[in-house]
Amino acid sequence: MKKTVLVSGGAGFIGSHVTVELIEAGYEVVVADNFSNCDRTCFEGVKKITGRDDIPFEEMDFCDAEAVDKLFGKYHIDAVIHFAAFKAVGESVAKPLMYYKNNLLSFMNVLEAAQKHGGCNVLFSSSATVYGEPKSVPVTEDTPRQPAMSPYGNTKTMCEDILQDTVKASDGLIKGILLRYFNPIGAHPSALIGELPRGVPNNLVPFITQTAIGKRECLSIFGNDYPTPDGTCQRDYIDIVDLAKAHVFAVTRMIEGKMKEPCEVFNVGTGRPVSVLELVNAFEKVNNLKLNYKFAARRPGDVTAIWADPTKANTEMGWKATRTVEETLKAAWAWEKHIAGK
Ligand code: UD1
């Protein structure tokens, strides 16, 4: 019988790509979302890509404990991937309580329901933000976490701890994997799903594509006086489909009982540092266009350079990023054109 994976926040950018990969790998997927930060475009795209018009879908808020409990009662869930969370760093500084309440409560409701309904494999979507400004790069999973720079970052660190402690106390009922994502970018090669930020994008690639299409006048590159080879920040940009596939490897590892510890941590990155300027140049080159950009002041809270050592995910999970930055930036541009109707 097919195993069932619940994807909370499954209509969003990462959730929709993960849903596609899970279905293509033979899992049954239950998608749940309250559309608080996305519209229905991506979920419709998921149905088209997979040819599945009947994906079970629940419109619900994970802060509603009763609704989460009912959900776990309705389906036999073998694993849950928890994405349902707010993710804008700046907004979290302005509205900390909104972030703590939403991001912590929703996750605790999932864990409580999972426990009550006989246990579950839990995958939490964490972030490289937990490493803060690392003392050396690349970072491994053993690189010490540092105090987060924002309430958003704090919620990632806190949810990691909540999962670790819950697993420890659960007598084997709950198993967990923490995936620490670096910078997910790009879109599905079909151009039917991708990133759809509301308002002015905070993240680099949506800002680049929106500038290229004419929605934004000019990209500001935040800082060109960093101690890096070209003065701009370095990140580990990971293709969204590669990232989504990491979830399939992690879920399978949990379901097949291949874990070495009851709660494991994996970096999900390429191991390849790319600067902001390199990314902009690559975007221009691969898509054969000129981007309007200027250098601007540093953005408060940005780290200078961070990239992953993905050895553990490569060797232990058998997952490896395969797509080049060029392929990814082509896909991001195809998606922007798709949503603009061009
Ligand atoms: C942020 C979050 C990270 C989250 C990720 C994806 C922190 C510190 N970072 O990462 O947790 O997982 O978003 O949502 O919490 N840039 C520009 N101009 C722009 C936008 C960005 O130059 O208009 C630069 C930034 O200064 C940075 C790089 O591009 O150097 C990447 O920025 P961004 O896409 O926002 O991701 P991060 O800040 O690395």
Side-chain angles (χ1 to χ4, degrees):
M1 215 181 67
K2 277 190 175 185
K3 298 286 184 189
T4 300
V5 183
L6 166 65
V7 183
S8 83
F13 172 45
I14 303 181
S16 57
H17 288 84
V18 168
T19 301
V20 167
E21 295 306 316
L22 285 168
I23 290 174
E24 288 183 349
Y27 286 102
E28 183 60 24
V29 180
V30 177
V31 175
D33 209 300
N34 65 354
F35 297 111
S36 74
N37 195 31
C38 63
D39 62 21
R40 283 158 213 269
T41 311
C42 284
F43 190 54
E44 291 309 314
V46 168
K47 291 185 195 165
K48 272 200 199 132
I49 295 167
T50 57
R52 284 273 314 267
D53 216 16
D54 59 343
I55 302 167
F57 180 81
E58 303 285 338
E59 187 163 348
M60 56 174 287
D61 185 346
F62 278 79
C63 288
D64 180 346
E66 217 174 291
V68 180
D69 182 49
K70 268 200 196 136
L71 182 69
F72 274 81
K74 181 169 171 185
Y75 300 96
H76 176 85
I77 296 165
D78 297 288
V80 49
I81 305 181
H82 185 66
F83 293 114
F86 296 149
K87 60 165 191 179
V89 176
E91 186 185 47
S92 80
V93 175
K95 299 175 182 169
L97 285 177
M98 185 174 115
Y99 270 68
Y100 287 121
K101 201 168 160 191
N102 184 68
N103 292 8
L104 301 183
L105 191 57
S106 61
F107 192 43
M108 290 191 285
N109 284 341
V110 165
L111 293 173
E112 216 162 49
Q115 237 166 358
K116 186 174 154 196
H117 291 271
C120 198
N121 297 298
V122 180
L123 194 162
F124 178 66
S125 71
S126 190
S127 163
T129 195
V130 303
Y131 296 116
E133 174 92 60
K135 293 197 175 63
S136 65
V137 276
V139 292
T140 72
E141 291 78 359
D142 295 326
T143 298
R145 295 184 315 182
Q146 300 209 56
M149 313 273 267
S150 67
Y152 156 78
N154 261 332
T155 67
K156 290 294 176 198
T157 309
M158 288 161 127
C159 283
E160 286 199 350
D161 292 345
I162 290 170
L163 182 56
Q164 294 269 15
D165 290 344
T166 305
V167 167
K168 238 183 257 163
S170 77
D171 259 339
L173 273 185
I174 308 279
K175 296 218 165 50
I177 288 187
L178 302 168
L179 293 185
R180 291 182 181 152
Y181 312 148
F182 283 70
N183 288 59
I185 62 165
H188 195 266
S190 65
L192 291 171
I193 55 175
E195 205 166 356
L196 209 51
R198 284 195 173 156
V200 183
N202 295 306
N203 297 119
L204 179 59
V205 168
F207 208 105
I208 290 178
T209 56
Q210 289 196 6
T211 305
I213 205 114
K215 258 195 199 169
R216 311 276 155 213
E217 212 166 289
C218 182
L219 167 77
S220 292
I221 294 184
F222 298 138
N224 63 342
D225 57 351
Y226 282 99
T228 58
D230 66 18
T232 66
C233 295
Q234 292 172 303
R235 295 287 183 275
D236 186 333
Y237 295 97
I238 164 96
D239 183 271
I240 186 67
V241 176
D242 276 335
L243 179 95
K245 287 184 197 293
H247 294 73
V248 178
F249 280 83
V251 160
T252 304
R253 180 176 175 86
M254 291 197 281
I255 288 179
E256 291 182 352
K258 301 222 166 100
M259 297 170 72
K260 294 207 170 139
E261 294 161 59
C263 192
E264 296 182 324
V265 184
F266 293 100
N267 282 341
V268 184
T270 65
R272 168 187 66 203
V274 174
S275 75
V276 177
L277 199 54
E278 283 171 336
L279 198 81
V280 167
N281 290 338
F283 181 83
E284 290 185 322
K285 192 165 173 214
V286 73
N287 294 313
N288 199 21
L289 44 79
K290 274 272 156 245
L291 195 72
N292 194 19
Y293 70 84
K294 62 174 188 220
F295 293 111
R298 291 182 178 194
R299 183 172 69 175
D302 273 342
V303 305
T304 303
I306 183 164
W307 64 92
D309 177 342
T311 307
K312 188 178 172 200
N314 298 165
T315 55
E316 287 277 319
M317 279 208 300
W319 167 88
K320 202 172 186 343
T322 59
R323 289 170 62 87
T324 63
V325 167
E326 286 73 21
E327 286 172 301
T328 306
L329 292 173
K330 250 190 188 171
W333 180 228
W335 162 248
E336 185 67 56
K337 286 190 289 187
H338 170 76
I339 47 180
K342 291 186 181 170

